[in-house]
Protein backbone atom coordinates (compact mmCIF):
# COMPACT_ATOMS: atom_id res chain seq x y z
CA UNK A 1 0.00 0.00 0.00
CA UNK A 2 1.31 3.48 -0.80
CA UNK A 3 1.99 5.62 2.23
CA UNK A 4 -1.41 6.96 3.16
CA UNK A 5 0.06 10.27 4.34
CA UNK A 6 1.10 11.18 0.81
CA UNK A 7 -2.48 11.22 -0.48
CA UNK A 8 -4.30 14.50 -0.97
CA UNK A 9 -7.43 15.07 1.09
CA UNK A 10 -9.58 14.53 -2.02
CA UNK A 11 -7.80 11.24 -2.79
CA UNK A 12 -8.18 10.08 0.82
CA UNK A 13 -11.88 10.98 0.79
CA UNK A 14 -12.41 8.94 -2.36
CA UNK A 15 -10.29 6.04 -1.04
CA UNK A 16 -12.32 5.93 2.18
CA UNK A 17 -15.58 5.94 0.24
CA UNK A 18 -14.34 3.05 -1.92
CA UNK A 19 -13.19 1.20 1.24
CA UNK A 20 -9.60 0.98 -0.09
CA UNK A 21 -8.53 1.71 3.51
CA UNK A 22 -10.15 2.75 6.76
CA UNK A 23 -10.02 6.01 8.67
CA UNK A 24 -8.25 4.19 11.50
CA UNK A 25 -5.48 3.20 9.07
CA UNK A 26 -5.31 6.72 7.66
CA UNK A 27 -5.32 8.26 11.14
CA UNK A 28 -2.67 5.88 12.48
CA UNK A 29 -0.42 6.65 9.51
CA UNK A 30 -0.61 10.35 10.39
CA UNK A 31 -0.13 9.77 14.13
CA UNK A 32 3.01 7.79 13.30
CA UNK A 33 4.28 10.57 11.04
CA UNK A 34 3.61 13.11 13.82
CA UNK A 35 5.62 11.05 16.31
CA UNK A 36 8.54 10.84 13.91
CA UNK A 37 8.40 14.60 13.24
CA UNK A 38 8.49 15.98 16.78
CA UNK A 39 11.72 17.80 15.85
CA UNK A 40 9.59 20.17 13.75
CA UNK A 41 7.62 21.23 16.87
CA UNK A 42 4.49 21.68 14.74
CA UNK A 43 2.08 20.16 17.27
CA UNK A 44 1.78 21.58 20.79
CA UNK A 45 -0.74 18.93 21.82
CA UNK A 46 -1.23 15.49 20.29
CA UNK A 47 -4.65 13.91 20.83
CA UNK A 48 -4.18 10.32 19.58
CA UNK A 49 -6.95 8.79 21.71
CA UNK A 50 -9.48 11.36 20.56
CA UNK A 51 -8.27 10.88 16.98
CA UNK A 52 -8.77 7.11 17.09
CA UNK A 53 -12.23 7.48 18.67
CA UNK A 54 -13.26 9.88 15.94
CA UNK A 55 -11.75 7.66 13.24
CA UNK A 56 -13.65 4.62 14.52
CA UNK A 57 -16.85 6.62 14.53
CA UNK A 58 -16.14 7.73 10.96
CA UNK A 59 -15.48 4.14 9.89
CA UNK A 60 -18.80 3.06 11.42
CA UNK A 61 -20.58 5.85 9.55
CA UNK A 62 -18.87 4.92 6.28
CA UNK A 63 -19.83 1.28 6.80
CA UNK A 64 -23.46 2.37 7.25
CA UNK A 65 -23.21 4.20 3.92
CA UNK A 66 -23.20 7.69 5.45
CA UNK A 67 -21.82 10.41 3.17
CA UNK A 68 -20.25 13.14 5.28
CA UNK A 69 -17.98 15.50 3.31
CA UNK A 70 -14.93 15.00 5.57
CA UNK A 71 -15.68 11.53 6.97
CA UNK A 72 -12.53 10.08 8.50
CA UNK A 73 -10.12 12.84 7.35
CA UNK A 74 -7.38 13.61 9.92
CA UNK A 75 -6.81 17.32 10.50
CA UNK A 76 -4.68 19.56 12.70
CA UNK A 77 -6.19 22.51 14.58
CA UNK A 78 -4.36 25.77 15.20
CA UNK A 79 -4.13 26.36 18.95
CA UNK A 80 -6.16 29.55 18.53
CA UNK A 81 -9.39 27.54 18.11
CA UNK A 82 -11.23 26.56 21.29
CA UNK A 83 -11.58 22.78 21.50
CA UNK A 84 -13.89 21.51 24.19
CA UNK A 85 -12.01 19.44 26.76
CA UNK A 86 -8.65 19.98 25.04
CA UNK A 87 -6.07 22.55 26.12
CA UNK A 88 -6.23 25.77 24.10
CA UNK A 89 -3.49 28.34 24.74
CA UNK A 90 -3.01 30.59 21.69
CA UNK A 91 0.60 29.55 22.45
CA UNK A 92 0.73 32.08 25.29
CA UNK A 93 1.86 31.40 28.85
CA UNK A 94 -1.02 33.57 30.03
CA UNK A 95 -3.58 30.93 29.05
CA UNK A 96 -1.54 28.35 30.91
CA UNK A 97 -3.60 25.15 31.04
CA UNK A 98 -6.89 26.63 29.84
CA UNK A 99 -9.33 23.89 28.86
CA UNK A 100 -12.39 25.33 27.10
CA UNK A 101 -15.84 24.13 28.01
CA UNK A 102 -17.02 24.94 24.49
CA UNK A 103 -16.03 24.25 20.88
CA UNK A 104 -15.37 26.94 18.26
CA UNK A 105 -18.01 27.11 15.55
CA UNK A 106 -15.50 26.26 12.82
CA UNK A 107 -14.13 23.15 14.50
CA UNK A 108 -17.63 22.00 15.46
CA UNK A 109 -18.54 22.21 11.76
CA UNK A 110 -15.49 20.13 10.83
CA UNK A 111 -16.48 17.43 13.36
CA UNK A 112 -20.11 17.64 12.17
CA UNK A 113 -18.77 16.77 8.71
CA UNK A 114 -16.84 13.76 10.01
CA UNK A 115 -13.25 15.05 10.32
CA UNK A 116 -10.79 13.61 12.84
CA UNK A 117 -8.74 15.77 15.26
CA UNK A 118 -5.05 14.82 15.45
CA UNK A 119 -4.05 17.61 17.82
CA UNK A 120 -3.38 21.31 18.29
CA UNK A 121 -0.88 23.19 16.18
CA UNK A 122 1.79 25.68 17.16
CA UNK A 123 1.46 29.38 16.26
CA UNK A 124 2.94 32.74 17.17
CA UNK A 125 1.70 33.92 20.58
CA UNK A 126 -1.83 35.23 20.07
CA UNK A 127 -1.11 35.00 16.31
CA UNK A 128 1.27 37.97 16.50
CA UNK A 129 4.23 37.31 14.27
CA UNK A 130 5.42 36.18 10.86
CA UNK A 131 7.85 33.42 11.81
CA UNK A 132 6.30 31.32 14.60
CA UNK A 133 9.18 32.40 16.83
CA UNK A 134 7.00 34.13 19.45
CA UNK A 135 5.20 30.95 20.60
CA UNK A 136 5.63 30.02 24.29
CA UNK A 137 6.17 26.45 23.06
CA UNK A 138 9.21 27.48 21.02
CA UNK A 139 9.65 27.94 17.28
CA UNK A 140 8.46 25.61 14.51
CA UNK A 141 10.99 24.34 11.99
CA UNK A 142 10.14 24.68 8.32
CA UNK A 143 10.34 21.23 6.68
CA UNK A 144 12.10 22.99 3.78
CA UNK A 145 15.83 23.75 3.89
CA UNK A 146 18.11 25.82 1.67
CA UNK A 147 20.04 23.70 -0.82
CA UNK A 148 22.40 21.46 1.13
CA UNK A 149 22.43 23.68 4.24
CA UNK A 150 21.27 22.28 7.58
CA UNK A 151 20.21 25.69 8.90
CA UNK A 152 16.69 25.70 10.32
CA UNK A 153 14.30 28.03 8.51
CA UNK A 154 11.07 29.51 9.84
CA UNK A 155 7.78 28.22 8.40
CA UNK A 156 6.30 31.72 8.45
CA UNK A 157 3.62 32.80 10.87
CA UNK A 158 1.48 33.06 12.66
CA UNK A 159 0.03 29.73 11.42
CA UNK A 160 3.51 28.17 11.24
CA UNK A 161 2.51 24.89 12.87
CA UNK A 162 -0.42 24.50 10.46
CA UNK A 163 1.73 25.12 7.38
CA UNK A 164 4.66 22.96 8.55
CA UNK A 165 2.37 20.06 9.52
CA UNK A 166 0.55 20.10 6.18
CA UNK A 167 3.82 20.41 4.20
CA UNK A 168 5.50 17.61 6.17
CA UNK A 169 2.48 15.32 5.57
CA UNK A 170 1.58 15.13 9.28
CA UNK A 171 -2.08 16.03 8.66
CA UNK A 172 -4.24 16.23 5.54
CA UNK A 173 -5.22 19.84 6.19
CA UNK A 174 -5.29 22.33 9.02
CA UNK A 175 -7.25 25.26 10.34
CA UNK A 176 -5.46 28.61 10.39
CA UNK A 177 -6.25 32.27 10.94
CA UNK A 178 -5.18 35.40 9.08
CA UNK A 179 -5.21 38.91 10.54
CA UNK A 180 -2.51 40.34 8.27
CA UNK A 181 -1.23 37.34 6.33
CA UNK A 182 -0.98 34.48 8.81
CA UNK A 183 -2.56 31.94 6.46
CA UNK A 184 -1.02 33.07 3.18
CA UNK A 185 2.56 33.86 4.23
CA UNK A 186 3.23 30.49 5.95
CA UNK A 187 1.55 28.73 3.02
CA UNK A 188 3.95 30.50 0.64
CA UNK A 189 6.96 29.56 2.83
CA UNK A 190 6.07 25.85 2.85
CA UNK A 191 4.60 25.16 -0.63
CA UNK A 192 1.10 24.68 0.73
CA UNK A 193 -2.18 26.34 -0.27
CA UNK A 194 -3.81 28.81 2.12
CA UNK A 195 -6.93 30.90 1.68
CA UNK A 196 -8.07 33.83 3.79
CA UNK A 197 -11.77 34.07 3.01
CA UNK A 198 -13.80 37.28 2.86
CA UNK A 199 -14.22 38.92 6.28
CA UNK A 200 -17.46 37.47 7.68
CA UNK A 201 -17.31 34.23 5.66
CA UNK A 202 -16.18 32.03 8.59
CA UNK A 203 -17.37 32.45 12.15
CA UNK A 204 -14.91 33.93 14.63
CA UNK A 205 -16.82 32.42 17.55
CA UNK A 206 -14.48 30.43 19.76
CA UNK A 207 -11.37 31.65 17.97
CA UNK A 208 -9.00 33.59 20.26
CA UNK A 209 -9.33 37.22 19.16
CA UNK A 210 -6.38 39.31 17.95
CA UNK A 211 -7.68 42.17 15.77
CA UNK A 212 -11.39 41.49 15.57
CA UNK A 213 -12.10 43.64 12.49
CA UNK A 214 -9.29 41.89 10.59
CA UNK A 215 -9.30 38.29 11.91
CA UNK A 216 -10.56 35.65 9.53
CA UNK A 217 -10.09 31.90 9.69
CA UNK A 218 -9.45 29.61 6.75
CA UNK A 219 -7.75 26.37 5.75
CA UNK A 220 -4.16 25.44 4.86
CA UNK A 221 -4.08 22.38 2.62
CA UNK A 222 -1.92 20.42 0.20
CA UNK A 223 -3.82 21.40 -2.95
CA UNK A 224 -6.28 24.02 -4.16
CA UNK A 225 -9.00 21.37 -4.35
CA UNK A 226 -8.33 20.30 -0.75
CA UNK A 227 -8.55 23.92 0.42
CA UNK A 228 -11.88 24.25 -1.40
CA UNK A 229 -13.22 21.11 0.27
CA UNK A 230 -12.18 22.33 3.72
CA UNK A 231 -13.54 25.85 3.27
CA UNK A 232 -16.99 24.52 2.47
CA UNK A 233 -17.14 22.90 5.89
CA UNK A 234 -15.58 25.84 7.72
CA UNK A 235 -17.69 28.61 6.15
CA UNK A 236 -21.24 29.61 6.96
CA UNK A 237 -23.39 32.03 8.86
CA UNK A 238 -23.22 31.91 12.64
CA UNK A 239 -25.60 34.00 14.77
CA UNK A 240 -23.03 33.78 17.59
CA UNK A 241 -20.66 36.05 15.58
CA UNK A 242 -22.34 39.35 14.76
CA UNK A 243 -19.87 40.01 11.92
CA UNK A 244 -20.63 36.67 10.29
CA UNK A 245 -22.50 37.23 7.02
CA UNK A 246 -25.61 35.34 5.99
CA UNK A 247 -24.60 34.38 2.45
CA UNK A 248 -25.06 30.81 1.17
CA UNK A 249 -21.95 28.63 1.03
CA UNK A 250 -21.32 27.46 -2.52
CA UNK A 251 -19.78 24.12 -3.50
CA UNK A 252 -16.25 25.53 -3.72
CA UNK A 253 -14.85 22.30 -5.12
CA UNK A 254 -17.07 22.70 -8.19
CA UNK A 255 -15.15 25.90 -9.00
CA UNK A 256 -11.91 23.94 -9.41
CA UNK A 257 -11.42 23.36 -13.12
CA UNK A 258 -13.98 25.97 -14.25
CA UNK A 259 -13.13 27.82 -17.47
CA UNK A 260 -11.31 31.12 -17.11
CA UNK A 261 -11.99 32.31 -20.67
CA UNK A 262 -12.33 36.07 -20.85
CA UNK A 263 -11.71 36.65 -17.16
CA UNK A 264 -10.08 40.01 -16.45
CA UNK A 265 -7.17 39.80 -13.99
CA UNK A 266 -5.40 42.86 -12.60
CA UNK A 267 -1.67 43.29 -12.02
CA UNK A 268 -1.24 46.13 -9.51
CA UNK A 269 1.74 48.32 -10.34
CA UNK A 270 2.18 49.37 -6.68
CA UNK A 271 3.16 45.82 -5.73
CA UNK A 272 6.35 46.17 -7.78
CA UNK A 273 8.43 47.13 -4.76
CA UNK A 274 11.93 48.61 -4.80
CA UNK A 275 14.50 45.99 -3.99
CA UNK A 276 12.16 43.08 -4.70
CA UNK A 277 14.26 40.00 -5.58
CA UNK A 278 14.39 39.29 -9.33
CA UNK A 279 13.17 35.76 -8.63
CA UNK A 280 9.89 37.07 -7.22
CA UNK A 281 9.45 39.34 -10.23
CA UNK A 282 10.06 36.36 -12.54
CA UNK A 283 7.60 34.20 -10.65
CA UNK A 284 4.95 36.91 -10.93
CA UNK A 285 5.49 37.13 -14.69
CA UNK A 286 5.25 33.35 -15.00
CA UNK A 287 1.96 33.40 -13.08
CA UNK A 288 0.56 36.07 -15.39
CA UNK A 289 1.64 34.03 -18.44
CA UNK A 290 -0.06 30.87 -17.09
CA UNK A 291 -3.33 32.71 -16.48
CA UNK A 292 -3.13 34.30 -19.92
CA UNK A 293 -2.58 30.90 -21.50
CA UNK A 294 -5.73 29.71 -19.69
CA UNK A 295 -7.75 32.45 -21.41
CA UNK A 296 -7.52 35.35 -18.94
CA UNK A 297 -7.04 38.93 -20.01
CA UNK A 298 -4.24 40.48 -17.93
CA UNK A 299 -4.55 44.21 -17.28
CA UNK A 300 -2.37 46.65 -15.37
CA UNK A 301 -4.24 48.25 -12.47
CA UNK A 302 -3.48 50.76 -9.77
CA UNK A 303 -4.16 50.42 -6.04
CA UNK A 304 -2.72 53.81 -5.09
CA UNK A 305 -2.95 53.53 -1.30
CA UNK A 306 -1.04 50.24 -1.08
CA UNK A 307 2.02 51.83 0.51
CA UNK A 308 -0.02 53.02 3.49
CA UNK A 309 -1.53 49.59 4.20
CA UNK A 310 1.29 48.25 6.35
CA UNK A 311 1.77 51.32 8.59
CA UNK A 312 -2.01 51.64 9.01
CA UNK A 313 -2.30 47.91 9.83
CA UNK A 314 0.36 48.25 12.52
CA UNK A 315 -1.85 50.83 14.21
CA UNK A 316 -5.26 49.19 13.79
CA UNK A 317 -4.15 45.63 14.67
CA UNK A 318 -2.31 46.54 17.93
CA UNK A 319 -5.16 48.88 18.92
CA UNK A 320 -7.67 46.06 18.65
CA UNK A 321 -5.24 43.61 20.24
CA UNK A 322 -4.71 45.84 23.28
CA UNK A 323 -8.45 45.95 23.79
CA UNK A 324 -8.99 42.21 23.19
CA UNK A 325 -6.14 41.19 25.45
CA UNK A 326 -7.43 43.27 28.37
CA UNK A 327 -9.45 40.21 29.41
CA UNK A 328 -6.31 38.29 30.43
CA UNK A 329 -6.06 39.67 33.91
CA UNK A 330 -5.31 36.61 36.01
CA UNK A 331 -8.84 36.54 37.40
CA UNK A 332 -10.82 34.59 34.85
CA UNK A 333 -8.46 32.52 32.72
CA UNK A 334 -5.19 30.66 32.92
CA UNK A 335 -2.17 32.06 34.70
CA UNK A 336 -2.38 34.04 37.96
CA UNK A 337 0.53 35.74 39.70
CA UNK A 338 -0.65 37.07 43.06
CA UNK A 339 0.09 40.53 44.41
CA UNK A 340 -0.68 42.65 47.45
CA UNK A 341 -3.57 44.37 45.67
CA UNK A 342 -5.82 43.58 42.72
CA UNK A 343 -3.80 46.07 40.63
CA UNK A 344 -0.60 44.30 41.47
CA UNK A 345 -2.18 40.92 40.64
CA UNK A 346 -3.07 42.25 37.17
CA UNK A 347 0.40 43.67 36.65
CA UNK A 348 2.25 40.61 37.87
CA UNK A 349 0.08 38.25 35.83
CA UNK A 350 0.35 40.22 32.61
CA UNK A 351 4.09 40.81 33.00
CA UNK A 352 4.70 37.09 33.56
CA UNK A 353 2.17 35.79 31.04
CA UNK A 354 2.75 37.86 27.91
CA UNK A 355 5.84 37.50 25.73
CA UNK A 356 7.86 40.46 24.43
CA UNK A 357 6.07 40.86 21.06
CA UNK A 358 2.62 40.73 22.67
CA UNK A 359 3.68 43.30 25.28
CA UNK A 360 4.97 45.54 22.50
CA UNK A 361 1.62 45.35 20.69
CA UNK A 362 -0.38 46.02 23.87
CA UNK A 363 1.75 49.10 24.57
CA UNK A 364 1.52 50.43 20.99
CA UNK A 365 -2.22 49.74 20.91
CA UNK A 366 -2.86 51.45 24.22
CA UNK A 367 -0.82 54.44 23.10
CA UNK A 368 -2.60 54.95 19.75
CA UNK A 369 -6.00 54.70 21.45
CA UNK A 370 -5.18 57.07 24.30
CA UNK A 371 -6.71 60.52 24.65
CA UNK A 372 -4.71 63.05 22.68
CA UNK A 373 -3.20 60.47 20.31
CA UNK A 374 -6.39 58.78 19.13
CA UNK A 375 -7.08 61.34 16.37
CA UNK A 376 -3.49 61.47 15.20
CA UNK A 377 -3.00 57.69 14.94
CA UNK A 378 -6.02 55.44 15.28
CA UNK A 379 -8.58 57.66 13.58
CA UNK A 380 -6.18 58.49 10.76
CA UNK A 381 -5.35 54.82 10.25
CA UNK A 382 -9.06 54.03 10.01
CA UNK A 383 -9.46 56.69 7.33
CA UNK A 384 -6.54 55.23 5.39
CA UNK A 385 -8.20 51.86 5.72
CA UNK A 386 -11.32 53.21 4.03
CA UNK A 387 -9.18 54.46 1.14
CA UNK A 388 -7.49 51.06 0.77
CA UNK A 389 -10.88 49.38 0.63
CA UNK A 390 -12.01 51.91 -1.96
CA UNK A 391 -8.95 51.14 -4.13
CA UNK A 392 -10.15 47.53 -4.39
CA UNK A 393 -13.78 48.57 -5.00
CA UNK A 394 -12.76 50.97 -7.79
CA UNK A 395 -10.69 48.29 -9.41
CA UNK A 396 -13.40 45.60 -9.23
CA UNK A 397 -15.92 48.14 -10.59
CA UNK A 398 -13.97 48.21 -13.87
CA UNK A 399 -14.71 44.52 -14.38
CA UNK A 400 -11.48 43.12 -12.93
CA UNK A 401 -12.42 39.80 -11.31
CA UNK A 402 -9.23 39.09 -9.37
CA UNK A 403 -5.77 40.50 -8.73
CA UNK A 404 -2.46 38.64 -9.08
CA UNK A 405 0.47 39.52 -6.80
CA UNK A 406 3.43 37.78 -5.15
CA UNK A 407 2.46 36.30 -1.76
CA UNK A 408 5.62 37.37 0.07
CA UNK A 409 8.62 39.59 -0.68
CA UNK A 410 11.05 36.68 -0.10
CA UNK A 411 11.31 32.94 0.50
CA UNK A 412 11.52 31.49 4.04
CA UNK A 413 14.30 33.00 6.18
CA UNK A 414 16.41 31.50 8.96
CA UNK A 415 15.44 31.23 12.62
CA UNK A 416 16.69 34.30 14.50
CA UNK A 417 17.51 36.07 11.24
CA UNK A 418 14.86 38.80 11.35
CA UNK A 419 13.31 41.19 13.80
CA UNK A 420 15.60 40.92 16.80
CA UNK A 421 17.25 44.30 16.24
CA UNK A 422 14.29 45.98 14.55
CA UNK A 423 10.73 44.60 14.64
CA UNK A 424 9.92 46.42 11.40
CA UNK A 425 12.16 43.99 9.53
CA UNK A 426 9.70 41.26 10.50
CA UNK A 427 6.61 43.40 9.86
CA UNK A 428 7.74 44.04 6.25
CA UNK A 429 7.02 40.40 5.47
CA UNK A 430 3.30 41.20 5.46
CA UNK A 431 3.57 43.89 2.82
CA UNK A 432 1.62 41.96 0.13
CA UNK A 433 -0.90 40.26 2.42
CA UNK A 434 -2.05 43.05 4.74
CA UNK A 435 -4.10 45.07 2.18
CA UNK A 436 -6.63 42.22 1.74
CA UNK A 437 -7.27 42.17 5.51
CA UNK A 438 -7.65 45.95 5.63
CA UNK A 439 -10.21 45.73 2.80
CA UNK A 440 -11.90 42.52 4.04
CA UNK A 441 -11.49 40.86 0.63
CA UNK A 442 -10.44 37.21 0.13
CA UNK A 443 -6.91 36.13 -0.82
CA UNK A 444 -5.34 32.78 -1.65
CA UNK A 445 -1.66 31.81 -1.69
CA UNK A 446 -0.65 29.06 -4.10
CA UNK A 447 2.80 27.48 -4.55
CA UNK A 448 4.20 28.68 -7.87
CA UNK A 449 7.87 27.79 -8.00
CA UNK A 450 11.18 27.68 -6.17
CA UNK A 451 14.05 30.11 -5.72
CA UNK A 452 17.67 29.39 -6.68
CA UNK A 453 18.23 27.69 -3.32
CA UNK A 454 15.31 25.34 -3.81
CA UNK A 455 12.92 27.11 -1.44
CA UNK A 456 9.24 27.40 -2.35
CA UNK A 457 7.69 30.69 -3.46
CA UNK A 458 4.00 31.52 -3.67
CA UNK A 459 1.70 33.73 -5.66
CA UNK A 460 -1.35 35.46 -4.25
CA UNK A 461 -4.73 36.01 -5.87
CA UNK A 462 -7.04 38.59 -4.30
CA UNK A 463 -10.74 38.41 -5.10
CA UNK A 464 -14.04 40.22 -4.86
CA UNK A 465 -15.97 39.90 -1.60
CA UNK A 466 -17.58 36.45 -1.31
CA UNK A 467 -16.08 35.31 -4.61
CA UNK A 468 -13.69 32.70 -3.22
CA UNK A 469 -14.80 30.46 -6.10
CA UNK A 470 -12.89 32.52 -8.66
CA UNK A 471 -9.77 32.26 -6.48
CA UNK A 472 -10.04 28.47 -6.46
CA UNK A 473 -10.50 28.36 -10.25
CA UNK A 474 -7.49 30.62 -10.84
CA UNK A 475 -5.38 29.00 -8.13
CA UNK A 476 -5.75 25.60 -9.65
CA UNK A 477 -4.43 26.85 -13.00
CA UNK A 478 -1.28 28.06 -11.25
CA UNK A 479 -0.99 24.79 -9.35
CA UNK A 480 -1.32 22.77 -12.57
CA UNK A 481 1.30 24.85 -14.33
CA UNK A 482 3.79 25.02 -11.44
CA UNK A 483 3.38 21.47 -10.15
CA UNK A 484 3.30 20.37 -6.52
CA UNK A 485 6.28 20.47 -4.18
CA UNK A 486 7.04 18.20 -1.21
CA UNK A 487 10.13 18.64 0.97
CA UNK A 488 12.60 15.77 1.37
CA UNK A 489 12.29 14.20 4.84
CA UNK A 490 15.27 15.04 7.13
CA UNK A 491 13.54 14.98 10.50
N1 LIG B 1 2.38 38.96 10.82
C1 LIG B 1 1.28 39.80 11.08
C2 LIG B 1 1.31 40.31 12.50
O1 LIG B 1 2.22 40.01 13.18
C3 LIG B 1 -0.01 39.08 10.80
C4 LIG B 1 -0.35 38.09 11.82
C5 LIG B 1 -1.65 37.41 11.53
O2 LIG B 1 -2.16 37.46 10.41
N2 LIG B 1 -2.22 36.83 12.56
O3 LIG B 1 0.48 41.03 12.93
Amino acid sequence: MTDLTSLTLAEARDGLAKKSFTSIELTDAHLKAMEAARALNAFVLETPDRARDMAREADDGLARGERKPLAGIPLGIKDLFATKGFRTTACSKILDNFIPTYESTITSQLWRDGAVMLGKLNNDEFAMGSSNETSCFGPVANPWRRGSSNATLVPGGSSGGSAAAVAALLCMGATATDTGGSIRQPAAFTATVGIKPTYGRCSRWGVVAFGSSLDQAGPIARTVRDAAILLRSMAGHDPKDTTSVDVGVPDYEAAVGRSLKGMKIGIPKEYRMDGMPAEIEKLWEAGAAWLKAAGCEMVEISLPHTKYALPAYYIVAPAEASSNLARYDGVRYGLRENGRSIGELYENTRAAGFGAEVRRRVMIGTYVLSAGYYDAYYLRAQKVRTLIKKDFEDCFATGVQAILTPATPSAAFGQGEKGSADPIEMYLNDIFTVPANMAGVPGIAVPAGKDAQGLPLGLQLIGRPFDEETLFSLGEVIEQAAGRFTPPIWW
Side-chain angles (χ1 to χ4, degrees), residues 42 76-78 121-122 132 159-167 171 173-176 192 220:
I77 303 299
K78 186 177 182 179
L121 292 160
N122 209 338
N132 215 122
S159 313
S162 304
V166 172
C171 56
T175 64
T192 54
I220 291 184

Side-chain angles (χ1 to χ4, degrees), residues 140-482:
V140 175
N142 192 329
W144 289 90
R145 287 171 161 185
R146 276 185 199 122
S148 55
S149 155
N150 284 346
T152 305
L153 304 183
V154 305
S158 64
S159 313
S162 304
V166 172
L169 310 184
L170 312 184
C171 56
M172 309 215 85
T175 64
T177 61
D178 190 314
T179 303
S182 279
I183 292 176
R184 293 159 286 158
Q185 184 253 17
F189 278 14
T190 55
T192 54
V193 176
I195 180 162
K196 179 200 90 73
T198 312
Y199 184 77
R201 179 67 290 185
C202 290
S203 170
R204 291 182 297 109
W205 196 81
V207 182
V208 176
F210 166 7
S212 302
S213 77
L214 302 155
D215 296 345
Q216 184 57 205
I220 291 184
R222 295 181 191 166
T223 66
V224 171
R225 179 182 296 275
D226 289 0
I229 294 169
L230 285 170
L231 184 60
R232 192 182 186 188
S233 290
M234 293 170 74
H237 177 237
D238 178 11
K240 291 202 289 256
D241 170 2
T242 51
T243 59
S244 152
V245 178
D246 195 358
V247 175
V249 180
D251 177 0
Y252 293 120
E253 194 181 358
V256 177
R258 228 174 244 170
S259 163
L260 306 179
K261 281 243 148 35
M263 208 177 261
K264 213 161 136 184
I265 309 298
I267 304 276
K269 60 171 191 262
E270 290 79 8
Y271 279 60
R272 203 156 274 127
M273 301 280 173
D274 285 346
M276 190 160 80
E279 286 171 317
I280 304 270
E281 182 81 44
K282 239 178 71 197
L283 182 87
W284 197 6
E285 278 165 19
W290 293 328
L291 294 183
K292 200 164 169 206
C296 296
E297 182 197 346
M298 308 305 293
V299 293
E300 183 167 284
I301 58 162
S302 172
L303 299 166
H305 298 91
T306 299
K307 64 173 176 289
Y308 305 114
L310 198 68
Y313 168 84
Y314 275 99
I315 289 174
V316 174
E320 295 186 11
S322 71
S323 157
N324 272 323
L325 268 51
R327 73 190 70 176
Y328 303 103
D329 54 10
V331 176
R332 284 161 292 187
Y333 309 88
L335 186 78
R336 175 180 302 169
E337 293 285 336
N338 281 315
R340 280 164 306 176
S341 62
I342 183 79
E344 222 179 80
L345 178 145
Y346 292 159
E347 284 171 15
N348 291 347
T349 302
R350 289 168 68 82
F354 290 141
E357 182 60 29
V358 173
R359 288 203 295 267
R360 175 168 23 235
R361 307 268 181 130
V362 168
M363 286 190 280
I364 294 173
T366 308
Y367 177 80
V368 299
L369 288 174
S370 59
Y373 297 101
Y374 181 90
D375 289 0
Y377 293 103
Y378 185 71
L379 198 64
R380 194 175 292 182
Q382 289 290 37
K383 287 180 179 167
V384 170
R385 184 175 184 179
T386 304
L387 294 173
I388 292 163
K389 184 161 176 283
K390 194 173 169 297
D391 280 355
F392 283 103
E393 284 164 0
D394 291 347
C395 158
F396 292 134
T398 67
V400 166
Q401 280 155 290
I403 296 164
L404 179 73
T405 79
T408 56
S410 75
F413 47 88
Q415 270 180 2
E417 217 169 84
K418 270 190 195 186
S420 44
D422 179 2
I424 296 188
E425 221 182 7
M426 187 68 83
Y427 298 170
L428 282 169
N429 246 281
D430 307 325
I431 196 124
F432 297 140
T433 48
V434 150
N437 299 80
M438 294 296 266
V441 295
I444 193 171
V446 182
K450 287 190 191 168
D451 73 0
Q453 293 174 301
L455 292 180
L457 296 170
L459 284 171
Q460 173 179 231
L461 288 148
I462 301 171
R464 297 174 300 186
F466 295 97
D467 187 17
E468 286 80 5
E469 287 169 282
T470 295
L471 300 186
F472 289 124
S473 308
L474 293 163
E476 199 241 4
V477 168
I478 290 177
E479 183 177 62
Q480 290 295 323

Side-chain angles (χ1 to χ4, degrees), residues 41 44 89-93 121-126 128 131-140 158:
N41 202 25
V44 296
T89 68
C91 296
S92 177
K93 269 210 305 232
L121 292 160
N122 209 338
N123 51 253
D124 277 299
E125 184 179 5
F126 282 107
M128 297 175 193
S131 64
N132 215 122
E133 292 172 292
T134 72
S135 163
C136 75
F137 295 103
V140 175
S158 64

